[in-house]
Amino acid sequence: MSHTIMARLFGIVAALVVLPVAAQQAPIVIKFSHVTTSETPKGKGADQFKKLAEERSNGRVKVEVYPNSSLYKDKEELEALQLGAVQMLAPSVSKFGPLGVREFEVFDLPYIFDSIEEMHRITEGPLGQMLLNKLEVRGILGLAYWDNGFKQMSANRPLKKPDDIRGLKLRIQSSKVLEAQMRSVNALPQVMAFSEVYQAMQTGVVDGSENTLSNIYTQKHHEVQKFITLSDHGYIGYAVITNKKFWDGLPADIRGILDGAMKDATKHANDIAKKENDDALEGIRKSGKTQILTLTPAEKAEWKKAMVKSHRQMEERVGADLIKAFYKETGFDPNK
Ligand code: LMR
C-alpha cells in the first residue's frame, strides 16, 4: 500500500474515531437549588424533574439538584438565579416581597384558603398566571406552582388560644403579611432563613414558628419544640422559577422537552404533597418528642377572628383589588 493511500486511510479512521466525540456536545447543565430536604414534596418534585428532563433529552440536559440550602439560603438563592449562578429554584410564594414583587404575599393572608382545591383555583387560573408574569421584570420566568401544605404553629408553650402566643418570638418567612398576621395576635415576628430555624429554636433565639408538617419533620423542629398546634391557619406553596434569559436561550426542542418534564413533575409533586404531610404528622407523633394539640371549632374560630384583622391592614401592601379577586375565587368571606 502506498504511503498516500495509507495516510488517507489513517485520516478516515482518525476522523471516524474523533468525529462522534466532537459531535457529542457537552450537556446543558441546570443547577436547581432549594432549601428543603429531598424527602419533602418540593425535594421529590425537583428530583422527578431531574429524572424526566435527563431521560427525555437523552442526556443533552443534566439537572444538578442542590437540596437543603446546600448551595444557597433563601435570599441568596434569588440573587444567584438573577446572576445566572443557578438556573432553577422553587421558593415559597412568601419570599418574593424582598425582590419587590409584593403581590405574592396575598397568598399569606391567614385563613384565605380552606382547602388545597381552593388554592388550586388560584394557582391553576388566570390570577396565578398574572402573578407569575410579575416576575418577568426581575429577569425571572415562572414555570409552575407546586404544593406543600397547610401551616401549623409550633412553640415551647401550648398554643390553644390567641392570647397564648402573646409576647413569643416567632420565626416567619420574609413576608410583611406574615409579620402583620403575627402582630395581630401580639407575637413578635422574626424573619429568618429556613436553614437557620432549627438552631434558633434550640438556642432560644426564637420561641416558635409556623410551618408545614413535612418541613417541621424533615428539619427536626419537633425535636426542639415542646408543642405543635394543628392550626391550618395558612398555606405554603412554591413558584418554580428560572432565569428568563437562560430559558429563552435554550434550543427550542430542549425547551419543549423541559416544559413537558415540568408539567409532569408538577403533577407528581402536587399528587404526593398531602400524603407527605400526613406521613410527617405520623412520624412526629411516633417520635414522642413533642405534644400535638388539636383545636376545637370554637378555638379555631377565635384564632381566625384575631388574625383576619391583618387582611384589611395589608390592602395597601398587596392591593385591595387583588385581595378581593382572591376572595371571589376562594369564596372567603372576611365577615364570617
Ligand atoms: C420556610 O422558609 O419556612 C419555607 O418556605 C421553606 C420551604 O421552602 O418550604
Side-chain angles (χ1 to χ4, degrees):
M1 210 184 296
S2 78
H3 281 302
T4 343
I5 294 176
M6 266 182 65
R8 272 202 199 132
L9 274 178
F10 181 76
I12 291 166
V13 171
L16 283 175
V17 173
V18 172
L19 245 180
V21 177
Q24 231 178 32
Q25 286 173 357
I28 295 164
V29 176
I30 296 180
K31 291 192 165 127
F32 190 152
S33 171
H34 69 86
V35 300
T36 65
T37 75
S38 305
E39 298 305 315
T40 55
K42 173 159 66 179
K44 293 187 177 179
D47 290 348
Q48 181 73 359
F49 174 72
K50 170 187 167 67
K51 180 173 169 278
L52 298 178
E54 291 181 352
E55 270 172 20
R56 294 178 187 177
S57 70
N58 286 321
R60 283 171 68 202
V61 173
K62 186 165 181 281
V63 181
E64 294 173 0
V65 180
Y66 298 92
N68 211 20
S69 310
S70 54
L71 206 52
Y72 297 108
K73 298 196 280 191
D74 290 331
K75 192 163 164 288
E76 300 157 1
E77 68 173 17
L78 278 163
E79 286 158 10
L81 184 83
Q82 288 178 295
L83 292 170
V86 292
Q87 288 70 39
M88 281 177 80
L89 308 172
S92 103
V93 288
S94 316
K95 290 179 180 167
F96 291 111
L99 201 71
V101 191
R102 303 157 160 206
E103 292 89 342
F104 269 95
E105 293 178 1
V106 65
F107 283 106
D108 294 326
L109 291 170
Y111 297 97
I112 196 156
F113 303 113
D114 279 331
S115 65
I116 290 182
E117 290 68 35
E118 281 183 12
M119 167 87 176
H120 286 172
R121 269 184 237 151
I122 304 286
T123 54
E124 292 167 9
L127 281 174
Q129 188 55 50
M130 180 276 286
L131 287 168
L132 290 181
N133 294 348
K134 289 201 177 286
L135 296 169
E136 292 201 11
V137 287
R138 309 278 163 207
I140 294 172
L141 185 70
L143 298 172
Y145 285 101
W146 286 0
D147 290 332
N148 186 333
F150 283 92
K151 286 184 290 187
Q152 321 300 341
M153 306 268 193
S154 74
N156 285 324
R157 196 191 274 176
L159 304 178
K160 293 281 275 181
K161 301 186 297 312
D163 209 41
D164 297 334
I165 208 171
R166 177 184 290 274
L168 293 190
K169 285 175 280 166
L170 273 280
R171 180 269 173 176
I172 55 163
Q173 304 173 84
S174 56
S175 156
K176 294 285 178 211
V177 171
L178 296 179
E179 211 173 299
Q181 169 205 276
M182 289 307 186
R183 291 204 191 282
S184 70
V185 285
N186 302 302
L188 307 171
Q190 314 244 328
V191 172
M192 187 178 286
F194 184 57
S195 56
E196 289 164 8
V197 182
Y198 176 88
Q199 213 190 349
M201 286 171 166
Q202 197 181 34
T203 55
V205 169
V206 295
D207 302 305
S209 185
E210 52 164 17
N211 224 311
T212 62
L213 291 161
S214 58
N215 278 347
I216 291 171
Y217 187 51
T218 52
Q219 295 295 320
K220 302 189 177 16
H221 292 174
H222 62 293
E223 295 185 2
V224 285
Q225 296 276 270
K226 294 202 177 83
F227 301 93
I228 294 173
T229 302
L230 300 180
S231 47
D232 288 332
H233 62 282
Y235 190 82
I236 290 185
Y238 307 107
V240 187
I241 56 176
T242 184
N243 181 304
K244 182 163 169 22
K245 218 160 153 195
F246 165 78
W247 200 260
D248 289 347
L250 289 169
D253 62 330
I254 291 287
R255 211 168 40 239
I257 289 169
L258 294 180
D259 281 335
M262 180 50 62
K263 192 162 170 264
D264 295 343
T266 298
K267 179 162 179 357
H268 178 74
N270 292 353
D271 282 351
I272 62 167
K274 184 170 181 315
K275 185 168 182 324
E276 291 295 319
N277 282 297
D278 290 348
D279 289 351
L281 178 59
E282 210 36 49
I284 293 169
R285 246 190 243 288
K286 276 203 192 122
S287 78
K289 302 222 159 147
T290 192
Q291 205 176 318
I292 296 167
L293 308 172
T294 51
L295 298 173
T296 63
E299 284 165 339
K300 275 198 171 177
E302 263 193 75
W303 282 95
K304 185 170 176 181
K305 190 165 169 242
M307 285 184 160
V308 161
K309 282 186 289 193
S310 58
H311 288 218
R312 284 295 296 276
Q313 292 160 3
M314 288 293 108
E315 281 179 357
E316 208 178 309
R317 168 104 186 147
V318 298
D321 287 348
L322 183 59
I323 296 179
K324 266 201 212 106
F326 262 57
Y327 287 174
K328 192 158 172 253
E329 208 61 60
T330 65
F332 180 86
D333 182 348
N335 304 310
K336 263 200 207 152

